[in-house]
Amino acid sequence: MMWYAIVGHDIADSLEKRKASRPAHLARLQTLQDEGRLLLAGPFPSVDANDPGAAGFSGSLIVAEFVTLDEAKIWADADPYVSGGVYAQVSVQPFKKVFPA
């Protein structure tokens, strides 16, 4: 098993689509967490604030454990934010956790 960084880049004005797809998106992340495979996950606010309000979000970062890069890509491609039209682009790459040790 290895860590993989999944970065989703939102379409412009994605907030309403995010809201619609969020429950299913969070359910998948909860499953990874329950399996002990989620290091971290969260969105990138479009403005310098924890709650960006109407400005919404510009994307998301997920760092999770998978057996292979292909498995991580398949998981990322099945995300509700992909099928819901939130993400314009998703990248997946190996990630080496160094800190915290």
Side-chain angles (χ1 to χ4, degrees):
M1 295 281 265
M2 184 168 178
W3 295 111
Y4 292 90
I6 300 167
V7 180
H9 301 276
D10 284 24
I11 62 167
D13 302 315
S14 63
L15 190 56
E16 291 308 312
K17 288 185 177 188
R18 267 186 171 268
K19 288 178 182 178
S21 299
R22 189 169 189 260
H25 172 77
L26 293 181
R28 295 179 83 233
L29 293 172
Q30 185 64 54
T31 298
L32 285 178
Q33 181 173 300
D34 293 347
E35 294 171 351
R37 296 172 48 207
L38 183 63
L39 182 62
L40 64 90
F44 299 118
S46 291
V47 295
D48 191 13
N50 279 328
D51 181 359
F57 300 92
S58 63
S60 302
L61 170 64
I62 299 164
V63 179
E65 205 171 31
F66 295 92
V67 175
T68 65
L69 177 59
D70 285 340
E71 181 185 304
K73 287 180 178 180
I74 290 167
W75 187 92
D77 287 345
D79 194 291
Y81 280 180
V82 172
S83 58
V86 175
Y87 291 153
Q89 177 187 0
V90 177
S91 65
V92 181
Q93 59 191 46
F95 178 82
K96 182 177 178 182
K97 180 182 175 284
V98 177
F99 288 102

